[in-house]
PDB file of all heavy atoms in Angstrom:
ATOM      1  N   VAL A   1     111.872 103.504  90.810  1.00 90.00           N
ATOM      2  CA  VAL A   1     111.980 103.436  92.273  1.00 90.00           C
ATOM      3  C   VAL A   1     110.686 102.906  92.900  1.00 90.00           C
ATOM      4  O   VAL A   1     110.697 102.444  94.049  1.00 90.00           O
ATOM      5  CB  VAL A   1     112.319 104.813  92.877  1.00 90.00           C
ATOM      6  CG1 VAL A   1     113.640 105.323  92.354  1.00 90.00           C
ATOM      7  CG2 VAL A   1     111.223 105.824  92.594  1.00 90.00           C
ATOM      8  N   ASP A   2     109.585 102.960  92.154  1.00 91.00           N
ATOM      9  CA  ASP A   2     108.303 102.477  92.671  1.00 91.00           C
ATOM     10  C   ASP A   2     108.084 100.990  92.420  1.00 91.00           C
ATOM     11  O   ASP A   2     107.138 100.405  92.948  1.00 91.00           O
ATOM     12  CB  ASP A   2     107.141 103.252  92.031  1.00 91.00           C
ATOM     13  CG  ASP A   2     107.206 104.744  92.321  1.00 91.00           C
ATOM     14  OD1 ASP A   2     107.381 105.097  93.498  1.00 91.00           O
ATOM     15  OD2 ASP A   2     107.098 105.538  91.371  1.00 91.00           O
ATOM     16  N   ILE A   3     108.943 100.382  91.619  1.00 92.00           N
ATOM     17  CA  ILE A   3     108.733  98.992  91.223  1.00 92.00           C
ATOM     18  C   ILE A   3     108.702  98.025  92.413  1.00 92.00           C
ATOM     19  O   ILE A   3     107.836  97.140  92.463  1.00 92.00           O
ATOM     20  CB  ILE A   3     109.778  98.567  90.171  1.00 92.00           C
ATOM     21  CG1 ILE A   3     109.453  99.255  88.837  1.00 92.00           C
ATOM     22  CG2 ILE A   3     109.810  97.052  89.995  1.00 92.00           C
ATOM     23  CD1 ILE A   3     110.433  98.941  87.724  1.00 92.00           C
ATOM     24  N   PRO A   4     109.621  98.124  93.388  1.00 92.00           N
ATOM     25  CA  PRO A   4     109.554  97.180  94.518  1.00 92.00           C
ATOM     26  C   PRO A   4     108.205  97.197  95.236  1.00 92.00           C
ATOM     27  O   PRO A   4     107.679  96.144  95.606  1.00 92.00           O
ATOM     28  CB  PRO A   4     110.685  97.648  95.440  1.00 92.00           C
ATOM     29  CG  PRO A   4     111.655  98.314  94.520  1.00 92.00           C
ATOM     30  CD  PRO A   4     110.807  98.997  93.488  1.00 92.00           C
ATOM     31  N   GLN A   5     107.630  98.384  95.416  1.00 92.00           N
ATOM     32  CA  GLN A   5     106.342  98.484  96.104  1.00 92.00           C
ATOM     33  C   GLN A   5     105.225  97.902  95.250  1.00 92.00           C
ATOM     34  O   GLN A   5     104.313  97.232  95.756  1.00 92.00           O
ATOM     35  CB  GLN A   5     106.048  99.950  96.426  1.00 92.00           C
ATOM     36  CG  GLN A   5     105.132 100.169  97.603  1.00 92.00           C
ATOM     37  CD  GLN A   5     105.741  99.783  98.936  1.00 92.00           C
ATOM     38  OE1 GLN A   5     106.910 100.052  99.185  1.00 92.00           O
ATOM     39  NE2 GLN A   5     104.968  99.129  99.782  1.00 92.00           N
ATOM     40  N   ILE A   6     105.266  98.161  93.940  1.00 94.00           N
ATOM     41  CA  ILE A   6     104.243  97.621  93.039  1.00 94.00           C
ATOM     42  C   ILE A   6     104.356  96.107  92.969  1.00 94.00           C
ATOM     43  O   ILE A   6     103.346  95.384  92.978  1.00 94.00           O
ATOM     44  CB  ILE A   6     104.380  98.243  91.635  1.00 94.00           C
ATOM     45  CG1 ILE A   6     104.159  99.755  91.706  1.00 94.00           C
ATOM     46  CG2 ILE A   6     103.392  97.622  90.660  1.00 94.00           C
ATOM     47  CD1 ILE A   6     104.437 100.497  90.403  1.00 94.00           C
ATOM     48  N   THR A   7     105.586  95.604  92.921  1.00 94.00           N
ATOM     49  CA  THR A   7     105.800  94.158  92.908  1.00 94.00           C
ATOM     50  C   THR A   7     105.263  93.519  94.190  1.00 94.00           C
ATOM     51  O   THR A   7     104.641  92.450  94.156  1.00 94.00           O
ATOM     52  CB  THR A   7     107.302  93.838  92.753  1.00 94.00           C
ATOM     53  OG1 THR A   7     107.767  94.386  91.515  1.00 94.00           O
ATOM     54  CG2 THR A   7     107.546  92.339  92.753  1.00 94.00           C
ATOM     55  N   ALA A   8     105.487  94.180  95.312  1.00 93.00           N
ATOM     56  CA  ALA A   8     104.977  93.671  96.591  1.00 93.00           C
ATOM     57  C   ALA A   8     103.455  93.609  96.584  1.00 93.00           C
ATOM     58  O   ALA A   8     102.847  92.682  97.139  1.00 93.00           O
ATOM     59  CB  ALA A   8     105.465  94.552  97.734  1.00 93.00           C
ATOM     60  N   ALA A   9     102.817  94.577  95.937  1.00 94.00           N
ATOM     61  CA  ALA A   9     101.353  94.583  95.852  1.00 94.00           C
ATOM     62  C   ALA A   9     100.854  93.410  95.014  1.00 94.00           C
ATOM     63  O   ALA A   9      99.883  92.735  95.380  1.00 94.00           O
ATOM     64  CB  ALA A   9     100.872  95.904  95.257  1.00 94.00           C
ATOM     65  N   VAL A  10     101.526  93.161  93.886  1.00 95.00           N
ATOM     66  CA  VAL A  10     101.152  92.005  93.058  1.00 95.00           C
ATOM     67  C   VAL A  10     101.289  90.716  93.859  1.00 95.00           C
ATOM     68  O   VAL A  10     100.384  89.867  93.880  1.00 95.00           O
ATOM     69  CB  VAL A  10     102.034  91.933  91.792  1.00 95.00           C
ATOM     70  CG1 VAL A  10     101.769  90.630  91.034  1.00 95.00           C
ATOM     71  CG2 VAL A  10     101.769  93.116  90.877  1.00 95.00           C
ATOM     72  N   ASP A  11     102.420  90.565  94.534  1.00 94.00           N
ATOM     73  CA  ASP A  11     102.676  89.336  95.307  1.00 94.00           C
ATOM     74  C   ASP A  11     101.642  89.145  96.413  1.00 94.00           C
ATOM     75  O   ASP A  11     101.218  88.016  96.692  1.00 94.00           O
ATOM     76  CB  ASP A  11     104.087  89.373  95.900  1.00 94.00           C
ATOM     77  CG  ASP A  11     105.170  89.282  94.833  1.00 94.00           C
ATOM     78  OD1 ASP A  11     104.843  88.854  93.708  1.00 94.00           O
ATOM     79  OD2 ASP A  11     106.321  89.642  95.124  1.00 94.00           O
ATOM     80  N   ALA A  12     101.236  90.246  97.049  1.00 93.00           N
ATOM     81  CA  ALA A  12     100.256  90.142  98.135  1.00 93.00           C
ATOM     82  C   ALA A  12      98.914  89.644  97.615  1.00 93.00           C
ATOM     83  O   ALA A  12      98.265  88.785  98.227  1.00 93.00           O
ATOM     84  CB  ALA A  12     100.093  91.505  98.810  1.00 93.00           C
ATOM     85  N   VAL A  13      98.478  90.174  96.457  1.00 95.00           N
ATOM     86  CA  VAL A  13      97.200  89.740  95.878  1.00 95.00           C
ATOM     87  C   VAL A  13      97.294  88.289  95.436  1.00 95.00           C
ATOM     88  O   VAL A  13      96.395  87.480  95.706  1.00 95.00           O
ATOM     89  CB  VAL A  13      96.810  90.651  94.698  1.00 95.00           C
ATOM     90  CG1 VAL A  13      95.551  90.113  94.015  1.00 95.00           C
ATOM     91  CG2 VAL A  13      96.569  92.072  95.179  1.00 95.00           C
ATOM     92  N   VAL A  14      98.372  87.952  94.744  1.00 94.00           N
ATOM     93  CA  VAL A  14      98.541  86.582  94.245  1.00 94.00           C
ATOM     94  C   VAL A  14      98.574  85.584  95.393  1.00 94.00           C
ATOM     95  O   VAL A  14      97.961  84.514  95.336  1.00 94.00           O
ATOM     96  CB  VAL A  14      99.829  86.481  93.394  1.00 94.00           C
ATOM     97  CG1 VAL A  14     100.160  85.018  93.090  1.00 94.00           C
ATOM     98  CG2 VAL A  14      99.665  87.268  92.098  1.00 94.00           C
ATOM     99  N   PHE A  15      99.278  85.940  96.458  1.00 93.00           N
ATOM    100  CA  PHE A  15      99.366  85.048  97.622  1.00 93.00           C
ATOM    101  C   PHE A  15      97.986  84.754  98.203  1.00 93.00           C
ATOM    102  O   PHE A  15      97.675  83.625  98.565  1.00 93.00           O
ATOM    103  CB  PHE A  15     100.266  85.685  98.689  1.00 93.00           C
ATOM    104  CG  PHE A  15     100.327  84.896  99.973  1.00 93.00           C
ATOM    105  CD1 PHE A  15     101.146  83.786 100.086  1.00 93.00           C
ATOM    106  CD2 PHE A  15      99.556  85.271 101.074  1.00 93.00           C
ATOM    107  CE1 PHE A  15     101.190  83.052 101.273  1.00 93.00           C
ATOM    108  CE2 PHE A  15      99.593  84.546 102.252  1.00 93.00           C
ATOM    109  CZ  PHE A  15     100.415  83.438 102.362  1.00 93.00           C
ATOM    110  N   ASN A  16      97.144  85.776  98.272  1.00 92.00           N
ATOM    111  CA  ASN A  16      95.821  85.614  98.879  1.00 92.00           C
ATOM    112  C   ASN A  16      94.818  84.907  97.976  1.00 92.00           C
ATOM    113  O   ASN A  16      93.846  84.337  98.471  1.00 92.00           O
ATOM    114  CB  ASN A  16      95.267  86.984  99.274  1.00 92.00           C
ATOM    115  CG  ASN A  16      95.823  87.491 100.586  1.00 92.00           C
ATOM    116  OD1 ASN A  16      95.314  87.188 101.656  1.00 92.00           O
ATOM    117  ND2 ASN A  16      96.900  88.260 100.513  1.00 92.00           N
ATOM    118  N   LEU A  17      95.048  84.935  96.657  1.00 94.00           N
ATOM    119  CA  LEU A  17      94.054  84.376  95.730  1.00 94.00           C
ATOM    120  C   LEU A  17      94.457  83.041  95.105  1.00 94.00           C
ATOM    121  O   LEU A  17      93.595  82.308  94.635  1.00 94.00           O
ATOM    122  CB  LEU A  17      93.753  85.380  94.617  1.00 94.00           C
ATOM    123  CG  LEU A  17      93.065  86.684  95.026  1.00 94.00           C
ATOM    124  CD1 LEU A  17      92.826  87.561  93.806  1.00 94.00           C
ATOM    125  CD2 LEU A  17      91.749  86.410  95.751  1.00 94.00           C
ATOM    126  N   SER A  18      95.753  82.745  95.076  1.00 91.00           N
ATOM    127  CA  SER A  18      96.213  81.542  94.374  1.00 91.00           C
ATOM    128  C   SER A  18      95.591  80.263  94.919  1.00 91.00           C
ATOM    129  O   SER A  18      95.290  79.334  94.167  1.00 91.00           O
ATOM    130  CB  SER A  18      97.743  81.441  94.455  1.00 91.00           C
ATOM    131  OG  SER A  18      98.342  82.464  93.703  1.00 91.00           O
ATOM    132  N   ALA A  19      95.403  80.206  96.228  1.00 86.00           N
ATOM    133  CA  ALA A  19      94.864  78.986  96.848  1.00 86.00           C
ATOM    134  C   ALA A  19      93.352  79.026  97.004  1.00 86.00           C
ATOM    135  O   ALA A  19      92.777  78.168  97.679  1.00 86.00           O
ATOM    136  CB  ALA A  19      95.525  78.764  98.202  1.00 86.00           C
ATOM    137  N   ARG A  20      92.692  80.005  96.361  1.00 90.00           N
ATOM    138  CA  ARG A  20      91.253  80.128  96.516  1.00 90.00           C
ATOM    139  C   ARG A  20      90.537  80.179  95.156  1.00 90.00           C
ATOM    140  O   ARG A  20      89.962  81.204  94.763  1.00 90.00           O
ATOM    141  CB  ARG A  20      90.922  81.381  97.331  1.00 90.00           C
ATOM    142  CG  ARG A  20      91.406  81.340  98.779  1.00 90.00           C
ATOM    143  CD  ARG A  20      90.833  80.157  99.553  1.00 90.00           C
ATOM    144  NE  ARG A  20      89.391  80.137  99.559  1.00 90.00           N
ATOM    145  CZ  ARG A  20      88.640  80.623 100.544  1.00 90.00           C
ATOM    146  NH1 ARG A  20      89.225  81.182 101.597  1.00 90.00           N
ATOM    147  NH2 ARG A  20      87.324  80.546 100.487  1.00 90.00           N
ATOM    148  N   PRO A  21      90.568  79.073  94.408  1.00 90.00           N
ATOM    149  CA  PRO A  21      89.859  79.051  93.117  1.00 90.00           C
ATOM    150  C   PRO A  21      88.355  79.194  93.267  1.00 90.00           C
ATOM    151  O   PRO A  21      87.664  79.461  92.295  1.00 90.00           O
ATOM    152  CB  PRO A  21      90.235  77.675  92.543  1.00 90.00           C
ATOM    153  CG  PRO A  21      90.581  76.841  93.739  1.00 90.00           C
ATOM    154  CD  PRO A  21      91.226  77.787  94.706  1.00 90.00           C
ATOM    155  N   ASP A  22      87.856  79.037  94.497  1.00 91.00           N
ATOM    156  CA  ASP A  22      86.418  79.205  94.715  1.00 91.00           C
ATOM    157  C   ASP A  22      85.998  80.677  94.652  1.00 91.00           C
ATOM    158  O   ASP A  22      84.821  80.988  94.397  1.00 91.00           O
ATOM    159  CB  ASP A  22      86.013  78.618  96.072  1.00 91.00           C
ATOM    160  CG  ASP A  22      86.829  79.212  97.216  1.00 91.00           C
ATOM    161  OD1 ASP A  22      88.048  79.401  97.035  1.00 91.00           O
ATOM    162  OD2 ASP A  22      86.242  79.470  98.288  1.00 91.00           O
ATOM    163  N   VAL A  23      86.943  81.601  94.867  1.00 93.00           N
ATOM    164  CA  VAL A  23      86.595  83.024  94.838  1.00 93.00           C
ATOM    165  C   VAL A  23      87.302  83.787  93.717  1.00 93.00           C
ATOM    166  O   VAL A  23      86.944  84.933  93.434  1.00 93.00           O
ATOM    167  CB  VAL A  23      86.904  83.709  96.186  1.00 93.00           C
ATOM    168  CG1 VAL A  23      86.096  83.091  97.313  1.00 93.00           C
ATOM    169  CG2 VAL A  23      88.393  83.674  96.502  1.00 93.00           C
ATOM    170  N   ALA A  24      88.315  83.173  93.106  1.00 95.00           N
ATOM    171  CA  ALA A  24      89.031  83.848  92.026  1.00 95.00           C
ATOM    172  C   ALA A  24      89.447  82.829  90.978  1.00 95.00           C
ATOM    173  O   ALA A  24      90.054  81.807  91.302  1.00 95.00           O
ATOM    174  CB  ALA A  24      90.257  84.577  92.565  1.00 95.00           C
ATOM    175  N   ASP A  25      89.121  83.111  89.742  1.00 94.00           N
ATOM    176  CA  ASP A  25      89.531  82.246  88.646  1.00 94.00           C
ATOM    177  C   ASP A  25      91.059  82.163  88.604  1.00 94.00           C
ATOM    178  O   ASP A  25      91.756  83.139  88.913  1.00 94.00           O
ATOM    179  CB  ASP A  25      88.997  82.817  87.330  1.00 94.00           C
ATOM    180  CG  ASP A  25      89.245  81.896  86.162  1.00 94.00           C
ATOM    181  OD1 ASP A  25      88.426  80.989  85.949  1.00 94.00           O
ATOM    182  OD2 ASP A  25      90.270  82.077  85.474  1.00 94.00           O
ATOM    183  N   SER A  26      91.581  81.014  88.221  1.00 93.00           N
ATOM    184  CA  SER A  26      93.039  80.830  88.205  1.00 93.00           C
ATOM    185  C   SER A  26      93.733  81.790  87.250  1.00 93.00           C
ATOM    186  O   SER A  26      94.934  82.046  87.374  1.00 93.00           O
ATOM    187  CB  SER A  26      93.373  79.385  87.819  1.00 93.00           C
ATOM    188  OG  SER A  26      92.848  79.075  86.526  1.00 93.00           O
ATOM    189  N   ASP A  27      92.968  82.338  86.296  1.00 92.00           N
ATOM    190  CA  ASP A  27      93.553  83.280  85.347  1.00 92.00           C
ATOM    191  C   ASP A  27      93.911  84.610  86.014  1.00 92.00           C
ATOM    192  O   ASP A  27      94.735  85.363  85.488  1.00 92.00           O
ATOM    193  CB  ASP A  27      92.562  83.531  84.201  1.00 92.00           C
ATOM    194  CG  ASP A  27      93.239  84.062  82.951  1.00 92.00           C
ATOM    195  OD1 ASP A  27      94.416  83.732  82.743  1.00 92.00           O
ATOM    196  OD2 ASP A  27      92.595  84.816  82.198  1.00 92.00           O
ATOM    197  N   VAL A  28      93.305  84.905  87.164  1.00 94.00           N
ATOM    198  CA  VAL A  28      93.579  86.178  87.838  1.00 94.00           C
ATOM    199  C   VAL A  28      95.020  86.223  88.347  1.00 94.00           C
ATOM    200  O   VAL A  28      95.798  87.105  87.945  1.00 94.00           O
ATOM    201  CB  VAL A  28      92.565  86.442  88.973  1.00 94.00           C
ATOM    202  CG1 VAL A  28      92.983  87.677  89.772  1.00 94.00           C
ATOM    203  CG2 VAL A  28      91.171  86.625  88.413  1.00 94.00           C
ATOM    204  N   PRO A  29      95.452  85.299  89.238  1.00 93.00           N
ATOM    205  CA  PRO A  29      96.854  85.358  89.673  1.00 93.00           C
ATOM    206  C   PRO A  29      97.833  85.112  88.533  1.00 93.00           C
ATOM    207  O   PRO A  29      98.910  85.724  88.503  1.00 93.00           O
ATOM    208  CB  PRO A  29      96.945  84.251  90.744  1.00 93.00           C
ATOM    209  CG  PRO A  29      95.770  83.371  90.511  1.00 93.00           C
ATOM    210  CD  PRO A  29      94.703  84.232  89.960  1.00 93.00           C
ATOM    211  N   ARG A  30      97.456  84.241  87.582  1.00 91.00           N
ATOM    212  CA  ARG A  30      98.356  83.972  86.456  1.00 91.00           C
ATOM    213  C   ARG A  30      98.588  85.238  85.623  1.00 91.00           C
ATOM    214  O   ARG A  30      99.717  85.524  85.215  1.00 91.00           O
ATOM    215  CB  ARG A  30      97.762  82.860  85.585  1.00 91.00           C
ATOM    216  CG  ARG A  30      98.659  82.456  84.432  1.00 91.00           C
ATOM    217  CD  ARG A  30      98.237  81.146  83.794  1.00 91.00           C
ATOM    218  NE  ARG A  30      96.865  81.191  83.326  1.00 91.00           N
ATOM    219  CZ  ARG A  30      95.885  80.432  83.826  1.00 91.00           C
ATOM    220  NH1 ARG A  30      96.145  79.592  84.813  1.00 91.00           N
ATOM    221  NH2 ARG A  30      94.663  80.510  83.337  1.00 91.00           N
ATOM    222  N   THR A  31      97.538  85.996  85.386  1.00 91.00           N
ATOM    223  CA  THR A  31      97.664  87.226  84.603  1.00 91.00           C
ATOM    224  C   THR A  31      98.484  88.278  85.351  1.00 91.00           C
ATOM    225  O   THR A  31      99.316  88.975  84.753  1.00 91.00           O
ATOM    226  CB  THR A  31      96.265  87.793  84.281  1.00 91.00           C
ATOM    227  OG1 THR A  31      95.530  86.827  83.523  1.00 91.00           O
ATOM    228  CG2 THR A  31      96.378  89.082  83.485  1.00 91.00           C
ATOM    229  N   LEU A  32      98.271  88.390  86.659  1.00 93.00           N
ATOM    230  CA  LEU A  32      99.044  89.354  87.449  1.00 93.00           C
ATOM    231  C   LEU A  32     100.535  89.013  87.450  1.00 93.00           C
ATOM    232  O   LEU A  32     101.387  89.908  87.354  1.00 93.00           O
ATOM    233  CB  LEU A  32      98.509  89.405  88.884  1.00 93.00           C
ATOM    234  CG  LEU A  32      97.114  90.016  89.058  1.00 93.00           C
ATOM    235  CD1 LEU A  32      96.656  89.889  90.507  1.00 93.00           C
ATOM    236  CD2 LEU A  32      97.101  91.482  88.633  1.00 93.00           C
ATOM    237  N   LEU A  33     100.839  87.729  87.533  1.00 91.00           N
ATOM    238  CA  LEU A  33     102.248  87.322  87.503  1.00 91.00           C
ATOM    239  C   LEU A  33     102.872  87.598  86.138  1.00 91.00           C
ATOM    240  O   LEU A  33     104.051  87.971  86.041  1.00 91.00           O
ATOM    241  CB  LEU A  33     102.371  85.836  87.860  1.00 91.00           C
ATOM    242  CG  LEU A  33     102.082  85.481  89.320  1.00 91.00           C
ATOM    243  CD1 LEU A  33     102.097  83.971  89.513  1.00 91.00           C
ATOM    244  CD2 LEU A  33     103.098  86.147  90.249  1.00 91.00           C
ATOM    245  N   ALA A  34     102.082  87.412  85.080  1.00 87.00           N
ATOM    246  CA  ALA A  34     102.589  87.719  83.735  1.00 87.00           C
ATOM    247  C   ALA A  34     102.872  89.210  83.596  1.00 87.00           C
ATOM    248  O   ALA A  34     103.882  89.617  82.994  1.00 87.00           O
ATOM    249  CB  ALA A  34     101.577  87.271  82.684  1.00 87.00           C
TER     250      ALA A  34
END
């Protein structure tokens, strides 16, 4: 029952970091999505 909220948290972080390789290595959002 907690999965939707946890998934939303992953998506929120990925959304904020995917377009910012200057502050986060591309492996960060890729690993979270995996």
Side-chain angles (χ1 to χ4, degrees):
V1 299
D2 300 311
I3 288 179
Q5 206 68 41
I6 298 173
T7 299
V10 172
D11 292 342
V13 175
V14 169
F15 175 80
N16 279 274
L17 294 181
S18 292
R20 295 302 303 264
D22 55 320
V23 299
D25 186 85
S26 60
D27 201 29
V28 173
R30 183 166 57 245
T31 300
L32 291 175
L33 290 174

